[in-house]
Amino acid sequence: MANRSLVSISDYSKEKILQILDKAADFEKNPNRKTLDGKVVATLFFEPSTRTRLSFETAVNRLGGRVIGFADKSTTSGTKGETLKDTIKMVSNYADLIVMRNPIEGAARYASEVSSVPIVNAGDGANQHPTQTMLDLYSIKKTQGKLENLKICMVGDLKYGRTVHSLLMAMSHFNPTFSFIAPDELKMPDEYKTFCDEHGIKYEEHSELSEANIADCDILYMTRVQKERFTDLFEYERVKDVYTLRNKMLDNTKPTMRILHPLPRVNEIDQDVDNNEKAYYFEQARNGVFARQAVICDLLGL
């Protein structure tokens, strides 16, 4: 790549991951600084987003930078036929760093190859979401006191869920055990199970979300069944409500277990779970500001 970018979590070594997490902890202590004074960050969201876009913009604003960009591709010159290449090269003239979400897998990698400034992948289709992974790792370390030797249960859309794909790869540095809980239509793709096999990572697969299947996990990572990833809406309707986590199901889980979710939530976590001390998904979203401050400053060499 012509510049430093974060496209995939595999762009980060174990040492870099730990360094970024240390930076995030420092930013949590004092998130309001002038580190980005004079810097401009462009947020290019070709796909809807709430938490990711707003947390990136909050991260920049709290560090004294400026934000330009768009949250709706219909307002861009792409509607006139402008290519992604031309959009990226043009925006590179205006910004010091570009944060991009695009529904096409591989779009972020391509953007990093044509951009003259760093690209941060804020999600490319069902592929990767590396900054979500960094805030997930930060949340896991905060709640468990470590990253090593944990059991992580991943539930729901494991086929199209870019957050679980990135997290699986990142956790490979820390000797995890995984439990994949998904219906047959949304099982973890074979390429990621092969990745586990090649890295000596233990995993099991279940088709039922039950008290027994989550009793011994340290992290319960819930995901939404993503309607936007389905080409067959009949298939979506069949699996969209297949799992719902209810408060009663948590009675026999570990006291230290925490529930994560990249959000937005639909029906996969009952509202009554929110008041359980094991629910951590809203705090997890807050952690995104600190993790993204750390990533941005690292990419800009600050």
Side-chain angles (χ1 to χ4, degrees):
M1 290 185 290
N3 57 70
R4 303 168 68 191
S5 292
L6 178 57
V7 173
S8 166
I9 196 61
S10 62
D11 294 336
Y12 276 173
S13 65
K14 178 181 180 180
E15 292 71 26
K16 175 61 75 173
I17 287 173
L18 294 174
Q19 179 188 342
I20 295 294
L21 295 182
D22 286 343
K23 282 189 174 184
D26 188 49
F27 279 121
E28 181 170 11
K29 294 174 185 174
N30 179 18
N32 299 306
R33 311 183 187 187
K34 294 297 182 183
T35 312
L36 294 181
D37 188 29
K39 299 293 185 182
V40 175
V41 172
T43 55
L44 311 185
F45 279 74
F46 296 87
E47 191 177 48
S49 170
T50 302
R51 275 149 299 278
T52 300
R53 182 176 63 84
L54 292 181
S55 67
F56 264 113
E57 294 183 359
T58 299
V60 174
N61 286 326
R62 288 195 179 279
L63 293 178
R66 303 294 294 273
V67 177
I68 62 172
F70 54 81
D72 185 349
K73 66 180 181 180
S74 67
T75 64
T76 74
S77 291
T79 60
K80 303 175 184 177
E82 183 174 62
T83 63
L84 178 61
K85 176 184 177 181
D86 286 2
T87 298
I88 295 299
K89 292 185 77 68
M90 181 271 297
V91 176
S92 295
N93 293 324
Y94 306 146
D96 299 286
L97 179 143
I98 295 172
V99 178
M100 186 182 81
R101 170 169 290 187
N102 194 290
I104 300 173
E105 293 186 26
R109 179 67 66 191
Y110 176 73
S112 74
E113 293 169 353
V114 301
S115 175
S116 59
V117 300
I119 297 287
V120 180
N121 181 8
D124 60 334
N127 185 28
Q128 289 263 338
H129 196 349
T131 62
Q132 176 71 43
T133 301
M134 292 309 300
L135 75 90
D136 290 346
L137 292 174
Y138 186 60
S139 299
I140 293 170
K141 190 176 182 184
K142 275 185 68 176
T143 61
Q144 303 303 308
K146 63 178 184 177
L147 291 172
E148 295 81 6
N149 306 315
L150 298 174
K151 181 167 185 179
I152 299 178
C153 296
M154 296 178 167
V155 181
D157 183 358
L158 308 187
K159 179 179 180 179
Y160 300 112
R162 58 195 173 200
T163 62
V164 293
H165 299 161
S166 292
L167 182 59
L168 182 152
M169 295 177 69
M171 285 300 300
S172 67
H173 298 295
F174 305 103
N175 191 38
T177 297
F178 289 114
S179 178
F180 302 139
I181 302 175
D184 287 343
E185 298 91 337
L186 297 174
K187 290 172 65 175
M188 183 66 73
D190 287 342
E191 64 187 279
Y192 292 102
K193 289 185 282 188
T194 299
F195 178 90
C196 288
D197 293 335
E198 292 174 347
H199 289 79
I201 298 170
K202 299 182 291 293
Y203 67 88
E204 56 194 43
E205 292 188 275
H206 303 281
S207 59
E208 182 183 0
L209 176 61
S210 66
E211 293 181 43
N213 287 339
I214 65 173
D216 63 343
C217 70
D218 298 294
I219 294 293
L220 180 58
Y221 198 99
M222 300 295 297
T223 66
R224 171 178 64 96
V225 177
Q226 303 172 84
K227 183 177 182 180
E228 62 270 27
R229 305 291 174 222
F230 284 78
T231 55
D232 184 343
L233 289 183
F234 177 76
E235 182 184 4
Y236 167 75
E237 290 294 331
R238 189 154 43 88
V239 299
K240 68 175 183 177
D241 295 325
V242 67
Y243 301 135
T244 300
L245 181 67
R246 305 185 192 283
N247 205 32
K248 184 66 177 174
M249 299 170 68
L250 303 173
D251 287 350
N252 295 317
T253 55
K254 291 183 178 180
T256 56
M257 186 272 274
R258 292 296 179 265
I259 305 160
L260 302 185
H261 191 310
L263 302 175
R265 162 182 59 182
V266 185
N267 300 318
E268 61 277 3
I269 300 178
D270 256 5
Q271 298 282 334
D272 64 357
V273 175
D274 296 354
N275 294 325
N276 193 303
E277 64 179 7
K278 297 175 183 179
Y280 193 75
Y281 27 91
F282 295 121
E283 293 90 340
Q284 175 190 1
R286 177 176 178 268
N287 290 337
V289 173
F290 316 127
R292 287 168 173 136
Q293 284 180 322
V295 167
I296 290 169
C297 290
D298 180 73
L299 292 176
L300 291 175
L302 301 172

